[in-house]
Amino acid sequence: MKLNTTHLRYLTPEDWRVLTAVEQGSKNHEIVPTPLIIKLSHLQSGSGAHRSISTLAKANLIARVQNAKYDGYRLTYGGLDYLALHTHFQRKTLHSTGQCIGTGKESDIHIVLAPPPPPPPPSQSITPSSSASSPHPQTTARRSPQQCILKIHRLGRISFRTIKTNRDYLRHRTSASWMHMSRLSALKEHTFMTALHAAGFPVPTPLAWNRHTVVMSLVEGTPLYQVRHLEEHEARRLYAELMDLIVRLARAGLIHGDFNEFNIMLEERESSIVQSHHPLADVGEKLEQDDERQDKIANVTLNPVLIDFPQMLSISHPNASTYFDRDVNCIKHYFSRRFHFTSDDSGPFFKDVERQMRQTKGVGRLDVEVEASGFSKKMAKELANYMDDVGVGQAGSDVDSVSDASE
């Protein structure tokens, strides 16, 4: 399902009311009866509701199910996309949508324009007299919209028919299960990202959340899986930093669950150390260096930024040790295979993290903070059961689709 915003600007207020009515009715109906749609839309004219239903069906925002026992419609992923975008635009969290830069089994990634960040507070050193003496005291610089990322969760895209028959936890949600799971996935990602960002972890800045969509800052870097070569000292430093990040997460009560080269971005930052080789010389065009300029080139360090959090779990999870070891082994195997680097240290180990947490008595646990913010254990269990059944978050589960999107 691709995001198609062609009809977005042409929908009338009546169309939005009918589309919202179909969404509301989908909570309890696999196919929302047409009379119920008209009732929930609160339109005085029945003909106006039918006209909007026809418009939405032509735009593939709702769909009529063939061979149904009664006349009704179901909400499509396109309709849910429109409702989320409409809310973002109304709240002024988005200006416009752009191209799709990534497609996986469970989500689509789009470049979007968001309002500029608020201006910094005025300096306290400026006195009223100096402000009044300024030739243009009311003039402010015009701030341009900023590029951001819109992540659209699409858990229903993967084989869901077997889930409905094999799982009883969806017994009362068979009609809207794909919507419900996608909402939970987006809510979980935004909640965890907010907690991690506030705690100082290297993650994108969360900007907004609505339904199955999350708006976050754009990480201007290179995915780890696209890096072809690293010098030994750079590989050693990056490996140590990634292992430290896994341990820091565990000390904060969280395990990523899918800590691999596809969910790690590398930002380049210059330092004052002088070095003659660029660590990303094999990515893109090679840097042309001559003897006179080698001593002047600043050292570029690669700083990891962690992305993708729907599979993140608490350290209190019964299988926390297994997921922790899997995250560690993913990085070990990748560095050995790609960069031919093997650490002399056999750790880190989950038992060491547990011992450290007992000493600190669980102070600063983000898993507790996330649960208190609204993402309950019941939501986490419901989403985890679904993701286990469809293979979301398992090592290598989304490798092919991500690789195809990057080519």
Side-chain angles (χ1 to χ4, degrees):
M1 175 63 201
K2 294 183 179 180
L3 179 63
N4 183 0
T5 59
T6 304
H7 306 280
L8 189 62
R9 67 179 66 183
Y10 302 111
L11 297 186
T12 65
E14 291 76 17
D15 296 336
W16 288 114
R17 293 175 67 173
V18 171
L19 188 59
T20 303
V22 178
E23 180 190 31
Q24 293 174 348
S26 297
K27 296 178 181 178
N28 299 310
H29 296 82
E30 184 173 358
I31 304 173
V32 186
T34 301
L36 180 60
I37 296 175
I38 298 174
K39 179 180 178 181
L40 293 175
S41 64
H42 301 291
L43 293 178
Q44 296 180 355
S45 172
S47 60
H50 283 287
R51 185 166 54 251
S52 293
I53 289 175
S54 177
T55 300
L56 297 174
K58 290 179 181 178
N60 198 29
L61 304 181
I62 61 175
R64 174 177 282 171
V65 180
Q66 296 181 352
N67 302 324
K69 296 181 179 179
Y70 54 88
D71 182 51
Y73 294 83
R74 63 175 180 84
L75 185 67
T76 65
Y77 249 127
L80 189 62
D81 292 345
Y82 271 44
L83 287 169
L85 290 176
H86 184 61
T87 303
H88 283 304
F89 289 139
Q90 284 189 322
R91 295 177 179 175
K92 300 188 183 303
T93 55
L94 284 184
H95 273 325
S96 61
T97 59
Q99 65 177 348
C100 179
I101 61 173
T103 302
K105 289 181 180 179
E106 58 203 77
S107 63
D108 293 337
I109 310 296
H110 290 261
I111 291 284
V112 295
L113 286 180
S123 175
Q124 296 180 357
S125 60
I126 300 178
T127 61
S129 58
S130 62
S131 176
S133 62
S134 175
H136 303 287
Q138 302 298 327
T139 302
T140 58
R142 185 171 182 177
R143 307 176 67 85
S144 302
Q146 57 178 338
Q147 278 194 336
C148 297
I149 290 296
L150 172 68
K151 184 172 182 180
I152 305 176
H153 291 252
R154 301 196 188 282
L155 292 191
R157 179 156 54 198
I158 349 177
S159 151
F160 182 70
R161 295 178 182 176
T162 57
I163 306 301
K164 290 198 295 184
T165 56
N166 296 336
R167 279 290 183 182
D168 59 354
Y169 65 87
L170 290 178
R171 184 178 304 156
H172 304 294
R173 286 191 175 272
T174 54
S175 60
S177 52
W178 59 271
M179 282 192 295
H180 178 63
M181 290 302 164
S182 295
R183 287 169 185 264
L184 281 185
S185 180
L187 173 61
K188 180 177 181 180
E189 176 151 46
H190 183 266
T191 305
F192 275 85
M193 196 188 312
T194 301
L196 290 170
H197 185 266
F201 282 89
V203 299
T205 303
L207 301 176
W209 162 78
N210 184 259
R211 292 177 172 87
H212 63 316
T213 63
V214 179
V215 182
M216 65 190 80
S217 63
L218 173 65
V219 179
E220 297 183 359
T222 303
L224 178 57
Y225 74 90
Q226 290 184 358
V227 179
R228 302 302 178 187
H229 173 73
L230 285 177
E231 298 291 342
E232 182 179 356
H233 72 277
E234 185 67 23
R236 184 181 302 275
R237 185 199 64 81
L238 182 59
Y239 175 88
E241 194 165 349
L242 292 176
M243 289 301 174
D244 179 67
L245 184 54
I246 294 176
V247 174
R248 283 178 57 201
L249 285 170
R251 288 175 181 171
L254 297 174
I255 297 174
H256 187 273
D258 200 14
F259 200 98
N260 57 50
E261 65 272 20
F262 296 97
N263 292 327
I264 299 171
M265 301 289 293
L266 299 180
E267 286 186 322
E268 298 183 10
R269 296 178 186 173
E270 293 186 357
S271 64
S272 58
I273 302 176
V274 176
Q275 184 178 329
S276 60
H277 297 286
H278 194 287
L280 283 183
D282 291 338
V283 178
E285 296 182 359
K286 288 183 178 283
L287 298 176
E288 297 181 359
Q289 301 178 353
D290 52 41
D291 295 338
E292 296 180 356
R293 296 181 55 197
Q294 283 183 355
D295 295 336
K296 299 180 182 179
I297 296 179
N299 181 45
V300 178
T301 59
L302 304 178
N303 298 274
V305 178
L306 197 56
I307 60 174
D308 196 23
F309 309 100
Q311 66 289 323
M312 185 166 271
L313 50 96
S314 169
I315 200 172
S316 302
H317 191 278
N319 298 326
S321 177
T322 301
Y323 286 104
F324 179 89
D325 293 339
R326 191 179 74 177
D327 285 352
V328 171
N329 291 329
C330 277
I331 298 301
K332 286 186 174 183
H333 293 161
Y334 182 75
F335 270 70
S336 176
R337 183 179 71 253
R338 175 60 62 87
F339 306 125
H340 307 289
F341 173 81
T342 303
S343 175
D344 298 331
D345 187 1
S346 57
F349 300 103
F350 185 73
K351 59 181 181 181
D352 295 332
V353 176
E354 283 186 313
R355 183 172 60 255
Q356 294 172 357
M357 292 194 66
R358 285 195 296 268
Q359 293 175 353
T360 60
K361 298 181 180 180
V363 177
R365 286 188 56 167
L366 296 182
D367 54 339
V368 178
E369 179 181 330
V370 166
E371 183 180 352
S373 67
F375 191 81
S376 64
K377 289 184 178 179
K378 180 180 179 181
M379 293 179 179
K381 183 177 180 180
E382 190 174 4
L383 181 61
N385 288 338
Y386 172 85
M387 298 177 83
D388 286 343
D389 280 340
V390 299
V392 174
Q394 296 179 1
S397 63
D398 210 23
V399 169
D400 294 337
S401 56
V402 174
S403 299
D404 293 341
S406 64
E407 293 179 355

